[in-house]
Amino acid sequence: MLVHLDIKNFTVVKQVELSIAQGLTAITGETGAGKSIALDALGLCIGDRAESNIVRQGAERAEVVAHFDISKLPKVKALLTEEMLIQDDNPDECFIRRVVSKEGRSKAFINGVAVNLSQLKQLGSKLVHIHGQNDHHQFLKADNQLALLDGFAQHQDKLDATKQAYTDYQKQSKALRTLQEAQQQRLDRVSLLQYQVEELDAFAMVEGEFEQLEADFKRLNSVQELLQSAEKSCYLLKDDENANALSLMNMALKDIQEQLDTDENLQGAYELLQNAVIQAQEAYTELSHYQSSLEADPEQLQQTEQRYATSLDLARKHGVNPEQLHNIHSELAAELANLQSQEASLDALEQECKQSLEAYQKYAQDLHQSRTKAAGKLADEIKSSIVEMNLPHAVVNAQVVFDSKAKPNAKGNDEIRLLVSVNPGQAPDLMEKVVSGGELARIGLAIQVIRSRDYSIPTLVFDEVDTGISGQTASVVGKLLKKLGAQSQVICVTHLPQVAAQGHNQLFVTKLTDGKTTETKVLKLTKEERVNEIARLLAGDELTDTAIANAKDLLKH
């Protein structure tokens, strides 16, 4: 709960320190004194937007510090621990500090550690809930009525399960739509790939084949020239009977051999020439074999030429070099297999999507049943509360309608209709159609009290929510807030003496001016001061004995 609030240079407040006790704290004061300033400062601490005009005239910055006791708030402690913001030496306390410069720049700190606005709001939502003057209008909206019902039903597990099932269904649906949207394009591609792969399958070129094919084509296409060249070389080496290379080399070898005994320096030349003769003989033998292996084969040449030409055509068709045909064949076959597997994935995904939708519908139906069960109890509680607020003929119905044809939604497929009647003979209908502004304010207050009771927020703030009511109704409102204050810390800004008298504590807001500057002060009233303040609320500025007597009587109850 909120323990202490320190406000400096905030609008017309120079400095105010407030100690807030458990129970119902009523805040009263003269019109225009700034009774809501403390609430605005508290709102700043829990994440409200900062404006430069909140800084007191002449000051450099505004500063608000809120001190909370979190000893009985395990969820808050868990959040602070997770964010590494817990005070190790004092884990039962939490300090929030917000500073706003006159230029409008804002800084926030939790337990002395700088945090962003998102972190501040996340923590603030677990510590304080502020109900504004016109918040009752929010209950005219179906979404807020549904949130009210869910909070009252306390079935967060069913909400989470429905949301998760919706998320799973959305994920499957998105993947399915992506595949379906690309299906025609994929089918066209599959058709083309099937033709291309079948063509390449039929050609069946293996890796490295084109290089060999190219060599064979050149060789077969030049067989006559090759034969002539081989024959001429053999003729020059040995076959010419008149003069050939081998016979001449042998003659030279014989002459040198005869001179070796005369000069051994010829030994080197002799050996080289001897090796040359051997090499020439081997070359002749190799050429003879080559010559005999060469055979003009028109059929083989035609086959090779045709395969070579087909290779070039396929390479041009696929925009690659002929040497890459084997690789492109493998790539296209892999792509075809992948696309064909996607067709199978589409069938499987359609089935998974169907199963996800069925799972979502199951959870949504379970949520619907829980809401339907809670709706009657919520309507009874609202009716009971507003009957006490001088609406004795009130009738309240809460209908939960499941729309089976609606698209899946994270909150289920329910529509809630909160129907009200406040006059005899009047059929229950939507609130905006059958209730006046004052009646709506009372209904809204009843709903706020019920909702606040169901939330685990320790500090509840009501900013003049009793506007538009008076008399006996005001007394009932005060008792409601006091009852709520018995289980939570409640702070209420009010102008009604019947409500203020129900407070366990009372703060008085006053505005002082010296003609040049204005300053707002907030004072904690003693027992005697409370009598005078409530008498003022009853009678105005002139305190009469009757008003004082009535004030004392109100404070007894």
Side-chain angles (χ1 to χ4, degrees), residues 289-458:
H289 290 160
Y290 174 75
Q291 194 175 1
S292 61
S293 68
L294 279 177
E295 183 180 354
D297 187 343
E299 184 177 348
Q300 184 183 8
L301 174 60
Q302 182 182 6
Q303 291 175 352
T304 302
E305 185 176 16
Q306 184 178 356
R307 190 164 180 80
Y308 180 71
T310 303
S311 298
L312 295 177
D313 288 341
L314 287 173
R316 281 193 296 270
K317 184 182 292 187
H318 292 282
V320 297
N321 294 324
E323 296 86 350
Q324 297 175 299
L325 273 179
H326 173 74
N327 292 335
I328 199 67
H329 184 192
S330 300
E331 292 172 5
L332 293 176
E335 183 183 356
L336 176 60
N338 180 52
L339 290 177
Q340 289 173 331
S341 70
Q342 287 185 24
E343 288 298 316
S345 297
L346 180 61
D347 294 337
L349 197 54
E350 284 177 345
Q351 186 62 30
E352 290 175 9
C353 196
K354 181 180 178 182
Q355 292 172 352
S356 293
L357 179 59
E358 290 172 352
Y360 164 79
Q361 290 172 338
K362 175 183 176 296
Y363 286 115
Q365 280 283 359
D366 190 31
L367 179 61
H368 168 70
Q369 292 174 8
S370 179
R371 283 169 170 166
T372 301
K373 184 177 180 181
K377 296 179 181 179
L378 175 62
D380 290 343
E381 290 216 21
I382 294 174
K383 176 184 175 181
S384 176
S385 295
I386 62 178
V387 163
E388 292 181 1
M389 289 191 228
N390 202 24
L391 293 174
H393 304 291
V395 176
V396 181
N397 293 327
Q399 300 175 352
V400 182
V401 180
F402 184 83
D403 187 353
S404 60
K405 296 182 180 179
K407 292 182 179 180
N409 187 286
K411 297 179 182 178
N413 289 117
D414 289 323
E415 291 182 6
I416 185 170
R417 298 170 186 167
L418 196 58
L419 307 178
V420 177
S421 170
V422 294
N423 300 309
Q426 181 186 53
D429 205 341
L430 299 176
M431 285 190 289
E432 61 265 30
K433 295 182 179 180
V434 296
V435 299
S436 65
E439 291 165 340
L440 178 60
R442 277 177 272 179
I443 295 171
L445 178 59
I447 291 174
Q448 286 176 335
V449 171
I450 292 170
R451 184 175 69 169
S452 299
R453 188 178 59 211
D454 295 324
Y455 288 170
S456 57
I457 299 174

Side-chain angles (χ1 to χ4, degrees), residues 6-22:
D6 187 6
I7 309 170
K8 295 179 182 178
N9 297 320
F10 185 85
T11 62
V12 293
V13 172
K14 186 174 182 180
Q15 181 167 5
V16 165
E17 292 188 27
L18 301 176
S19 294
I20 313 294
Q22 181 68 18

